[in-house]
Amino acid sequence: IMRIRRFFKRAVSEELVPPAVFEGLRTDGFSDEELALVHAPIGLPINSRTPEEIAVSIAAEIIRVKNEDGSIT
């Protein structure tokens, strides 16, 4: 797993990421601070149905986060 300052866990469903996923990431060496940066499910809630709409939803969330705190370059 490549460590980066901020990352998006790709979970394109309406369900939250299962706790076991976070435990696996902790086992891989990710800190609780890093895991707090995970956005799940990813994407803005725009009732996306097609792959293109899902892509727009994800891109919109990335832009929102970037513009809120400037941490994604």
Side-chain angles (χ1 to χ4, degrees), residues 3-73:
R3 293 168 90 46
I4 55 175
R5 233 179 120 203
R6 182 178 282 268
F7 64 93
F8 285 82
K9 171 67 184 165
R10 186 168 188 255
V12 187
S13 72
E14 296 195 10
E15 296 178 23
L16 296 176
V17 175
V21 171
F22 286 103
E23 287 307 315
L25 292 170
R26 279 189 192 92
T27 300
D28 288 341
F30 286 89
S31 70
D32 287 335
E33 292 169 343
E34 290 171 312
L35 295 177
L37 300 175
V38 174
H39 290 243
I42 191 168
L44 297 182
I46 59 171
N47 297 319
S48 303
R49 292 192 175 90
T50 67
E52 294 84 4
E53 291 172 341
I54 292 168
V56 168
S57 171
I58 292 169
E61 183 172 9
I62 292 169
I63 292 167
R64 180 184 57 82
V65 170
K66 177 188 75 74
N67 289 339
E68 281 180 357
D69 62 18
S71 66
I72 297 176
T73 57

